[in-house]
Amino acid sequence: MDQPIADPLSARAIPRSPRAEATRQRILDAALVEFAANGLAGARVDEIAARAGANKRMLYAYFGSKEDLWLTVLEAAYGRKREEERSLAVDGLPPDEAMTRLVRFNFRYTARHPEFVALLNQENVHRAAYLARSAEVRALYSPMVDTLRRVLERGAVAGVFRAGVDPVQAYVTLVGIGHFYVANLHTLSTIFGTDLAAEPALEAREAHCVEVVLGWLRP
């Protein structure tokens, strides 16, 4: 069984050089690939270290344990999605256009990043036991809910959305209708005898997601 070195937390607190930061990032990139393929339980620290061109002692010095590395990878994955989402700048758009952009973004982001879907699915297997330790991820979601609330309120004032829609419910809906499609892409493609990963199928699903959400929001 893999064991961390003594006092990993103090080692992680030491300021790192650019070279050390580059090594740390290579470990994170390697861990993302390994965790997405094999989950937390099946991932091998030896494989992560080898892929990163590092050694296990360095990995433990930077991250403390495989479980801590898993959480760091999760946090980074959520952070990347939030960063792209913020760049959409939907507050300046008409509410229906803003909502359309949010729906399209979430669907396409999920389709472009199957590793993100794999990480989330695995963390749900663990009943979010590791994510529950993260204040960072919860903080990332508050601005997103606030953004949706503003879009919904503007839409209600403009008469294009019904009033009183819970922004959390709206977020779960607009993410969920795309996430299920991507998470089950292979089984659905087999069942229906068509390649649902092909661009025409993705375009059709994207349009459907927009239609469902905007239809649900109509007064």
Side-chain angles (χ1 to χ4, degrees):
M1 180 177 178
D2 298 313
Q3 296 293 332
I5 63 170
D7 198 17
L9 292 177
S10 62
R12 282 180 286 163
I14 298 172
R16 290 183 289 270
S17 67
R19 181 178 177 182
E21 287 292 350
T23 300
R24 183 179 184 276
Q25 187 59 53
R26 288 202 310 275
I27 293 171
L28 281 174
D29 293 342
L32 174 60
V33 173
E34 178 71 5
F35 285 141
N38 300 303
L40 174 59
R44 299 286 301 163
V45 171
D46 287 333
E47 180 62 28
I48 295 171
R51 188 187 296 270
N55 57 60
K56 288 199 298 183
R57 181 178 177 82
M58 191 175 297
L59 184 150
Y60 288 131
Y62 288 164
F63 299 102
S65 69
K66 185 169 80 167
E67 289 74 17
D68 290 334
L69 177 56
W70 167 261
L71 179 55
T72 303
V73 169
L74 269 180
E75 289 176 334
Y78 275 105
R80 283 190 295 272
K81 185 171 189 284
R82 289 286 80 76
E83 185 177 354
E84 287 197 32
E85 213 157 31
R86 282 193 295 268
S87 71
L88 297 175
V90 296
D91 281 331
L93 299 175
D96 52 349
E97 186 178 337
M99 188 62 67
T100 296
R101 184 170 292 188
L102 287 169
V103 174
R104 290 185 183 279
F105 167 79
N106 276 280
F107 176 75
R108 287 293 179 167
Y109 189 93
T110 306
R112 290 197 313 272
H113 296 280
E115 76 284 356
F116 185 59
V117 175
L119 291 176
L120 267 59
N121 289 347
Q122 283 294 318
E123 181 62 7
N124 275 285
V125 169
H126 297 289
R127 298 180 179 272
Y130 301 98
L131 197 62
R133 294 162 41 189
S134 175
E136 180 177 323
V137 170
R138 288 191 293 274
L140 286 170
Y141 270 78
S142 296
M144 184 60 235
V145 172
D146 289 341
T147 296
L148 263 176
R149 181 180 288 109
R150 290 193 298 271
V151 172
L152 291 166
E153 289 173 351
R154 289 194 295 114
V157 170
V160 294
F161 296 158
R162 58 190 176 88
V165 176
D166 183 342
V168 173
Q169 291 290 352
Y171 182 76
V172 172
T173 296
L174 70 89
V175 172
I177 56 178
H179 182 96
F180 179 88
Y181 182 94
V182 176
N184 297 277
L185 201 58
H186 302 297
T187 53
L188 291 172
S189 294
T190 299
I191 289 168
F192 296 116
T194 186
D195 181 9
L196 295 180
E199 183 57 29
L202 292 174
E203 289 177 357
R205 182 63 189 179
E206 181 181 25
H208 177 76
C209 289
V210 171
E211 184 179 6
V212 167
V213 172
L214 293 184
W216 168 61
L217 291 174
R218 287 192 193 102

